[in-house]
Amino acid sequence: MLAIIGGSGAYDLSILDVCNKRVIRTPYGSPSDPVITGVMGGGEVLFLPRHGLSHKIPPHAINFRANIWALQECSATEIIALNAVGAINSRLVPPDLALPDQVLDYTWGRKHTFFDGNSGIVRHIDFTNPYSVDLRARIEDAATSLGLDCFTNCIYAATQGPRLESAAEINRLERDGADIVGMTGMPEAALARELGIPYASLCVVANMAAGRGEGEITLEEIERNLVGGIDNAFRVIEKSVTL
Ligand code: HPA
């Protein structure tokens, strides 16, 4: 079953016929919220809001391990993650959609692996392609069939948050090759890979990254841009369910 991990702004579930909510306990603690089962595009899907439905959990405090474990517990066979991002590459403007194929991880201090030595198992997953090639292709096809532009083959930089970046930090990320920046892409993608669940991230550009737009970044601007962008992202996911 497809699971959707909702990010900032993805709280309007009117696109989903909600069937039930399950409170899941995991060996790693509680996930961000009960896991919702619902129907979207004629198919059954799972939904989990990464920050909690009332957006109370900041990026660095999300229990990513419990979230991914809970989705597996609920029979997730693939995951589409929604992520709000800032645009570093000037070819992107809010509220564009982006479908990264690579990631740069600048996060620290997060519980980032199921193989932390406590289970007695040492495992080194392959992460050459952090996102599922097949799932990305399906999302791209869905966007194309809806006539929506989706910026593909781009690099997502995962930063620690909860503050936004300085202009100099964005310059560094650009030198590193990053096109978009967000706070929640890692370790989520790696944890899904550790459990063998195909995973892709569909990003909504909420703002131009620090130093790339005019003036400072405001929360109002981010929230305003996310409204239309998330709506398009849900349409793409709904379509991808039928492909
Ligand atoms: N930086 C990091 N995370 C973000 C941004 C940003 O500019 N916009 C939305 N999430």
Side-chain angles (χ1 to χ4, degrees), residues 65 105 160 176 189 196-197 207 214:
R65 293 196 301 185
D105 188 5
Q160 178 70 357
D176 285 354
I197 307 174
N207 54 282
E214 280 161 28

Side-chain angles (χ1 to χ4, degrees), residues 8 59 83-88 156-165 170 173 180-184 204-210 217 222 226:
S8 298
N83 300 89
V85 293
I88 300 174
Y156 177 111
T159 54
Q160 178 70 357
R163 68 167 175 82
L164 295 164
E165 300 71 33
I170 293 298
L173 299 187
I180 50 180
V181 56
M183 302 173 192
T184 50
V204 177
V205 176
N207 54 282
M208 296 310 293
I217 301 163
I222 290 181
L226 281 177

Side-chain angles (χ1 to χ4, degrees), residues 1-5 68 71-72 75-81 129-136 138-139 188-201:
M1 194 182 338
L2 170 69
I4 302 158
I5 300 182
I68 298 295
L71 291 177
Q72 188 192 48
S75 308
T77 51
E78 51 187 5
I79 297 173
I80 299 179
N129 293 305
Y131 304 106
S132 160
V133 173
D134 291 347
L135 190 51
R136 287 185 64 255
R138 224 166 74 221
I139 296 169
E188 199 172 84
L191 290 165
R193 178 63 54 83
E194 284 192 345
L195 294 190
I197 307 174
Y199 174 102
S201 159

Side-chain angles (χ1 to χ4, degrees), residues 56 61 109 124 134 141 147 155 170 178 187 217 238:
K56 57 187 182 312
H124 305 284
D134 291 347
D141 286 350
I155 302 181
I170 293 298
I217 301 163
E238 183 180 33

